[in-house]
Amino acid sequence: MKRIIFTVLILASVFIQVKAQSAFTSVPVVNGKVVFQQFIHIDQDLSPDQRYALLYKWGKDNYAGNPLLSGIRFDDKARSITVGSKVELLLPQNSSGVREKTIMNYRFDATITNAGCMLVVRDISYQNSQSGNAAFFPKTFTAEETITNTAISAVSGGDKEFRTNTQKSTLFYLNELHNELSGIFNLSK
């Protein structure tokens, strides 16, 4: 009986891991800039107009009225949305037992194509408010100087830990964004 339960637990664990595969597992650099791209396959039973209607509704529901939104643009002709927004990232606990926060600014485009939806996340930067005058003059860091493997390996100690934790939280957030966007097209099945 114990073997059966153990086998079922192993199979369930494998199933959960396969289900939870991440779209973004590393930080890609294209022409010196951090750019995340992922294609989302969509049910071919939906017309391009139906797909765009789902994307449009999702964009309105999730970003219109959001106090952290810096801009949203809907292009009905190109069937795309462009969103500029911010999110407060809670970083993993550091070696001192503290969970730091940072503000991530980002821009993404979601474009409906014949086969699906192309998600492109770019223009990522971070505002660190750890210094005394942070309320008035937050320091801003680009993704290129913060979360790339080159940027992380260029520092040590607390800076390395902060950058590594920022990379982890960024990847987690972008995977959540990808999964949420993918989910709007899967609900129609």
Side-chain angles (χ1 to χ4, degrees):
M1 184 67 170
K2 287 182 182 180
R3 285 185 186 179
I4 293 172
I5 292 173
F6 180 73
T7 303
V8 169
L9 288 174
I10 294 294
L11 290 174
S13 174
V14 168
F15 177 75
I16 290 169
Q17 288 175 350
V18 168
K19 257 324 228 186
Q21 286 181 344
S22 300
F24 303 113
T25 57
S26 63
V27 179
V29 179
V30 179
N31 295 326
K33 296 289 185 184
V34 171
V35 179
F36 293 91
Q37 299 180 61
Q38 187 66 40
F39 186 77
I40 301 167
H41 292 279
I42 300 176
D43 183 357
Q44 294 301 305
D45 293 338
L46 298 173
S47 72
D49 287 337
Q50 290 172 317
R51 295 175 195 165
Y52 180 63
L54 290 170
L55 178 63
Y56 185 93
K57 181 180 180 331
W58 176 81
K60 282 277 194 191
D61 291 349
N62 287 285
Y63 290 95
N66 182 334
L68 297 176
L69 177 72
S70 58
I72 187 168
R73 183 175 59 96
F74 296 94
D75 186 338
D76 297 339
K77 185 176 179 182
R79 292 187 182 107
S80 69
I81 66 171
T82 300
V83 174
S85 192
K86 296 179 182 185
V87 65
E88 184 177 73
L89 297 178
L90 181 60
L91 306 184
Q93 187 174 350
N94 64 22
S95 59
S96 301
V98 176
R99 293 196 71 181
E100 296 179 276
K101 296 178 184 178
T102 190
I103 301 292
M104 181 176 81
N105 300 292
Y106 63 100
R107 180 175 311 277
F108 76 85
D109 303 297
T111 305
I112 299 298
T113 67
N114 288 335
C117 179
M118 186 66 185
L119 173 64
V120 178
V121 184
R122 57 192 166 80
D123 301 335
I124 299 171
S125 64
Y126 303 92
Q127 290 178 320
N128 189 356
S129 57
Q130 300 301 320
S131 62
N133 293 329
F136 299 108
F137 307 108
K139 189 161 182 172
T140 301
F141 302 95
T142 66
E144 294 77 20
E145 62 188 356
T146 308
I147 63 169
T148 63
N149 290 338
T150 304
I152 292 171
S153 64
V155 294
S156 61
D159 287 340
K160 184 173 193 142
E161 187 175 32
F162 176 79
R163 290 179 186 190
T164 301
N165 286 343
T166 302
Q167 181 191 64
K168 288 176 186 175
S169 290
T170 300
L171 292 171
F172 179 82
Y173 178 77
L174 295 180
N175 281 307
E176 289 294 311
L177 175 66
H178 173 269
N179 293 339
E180 187 177 326
L181 185 56
S182 297
I184 67 166
F185 301 112
N186 292 331
L187 291 176
S188 63
K189 291 183 180 179

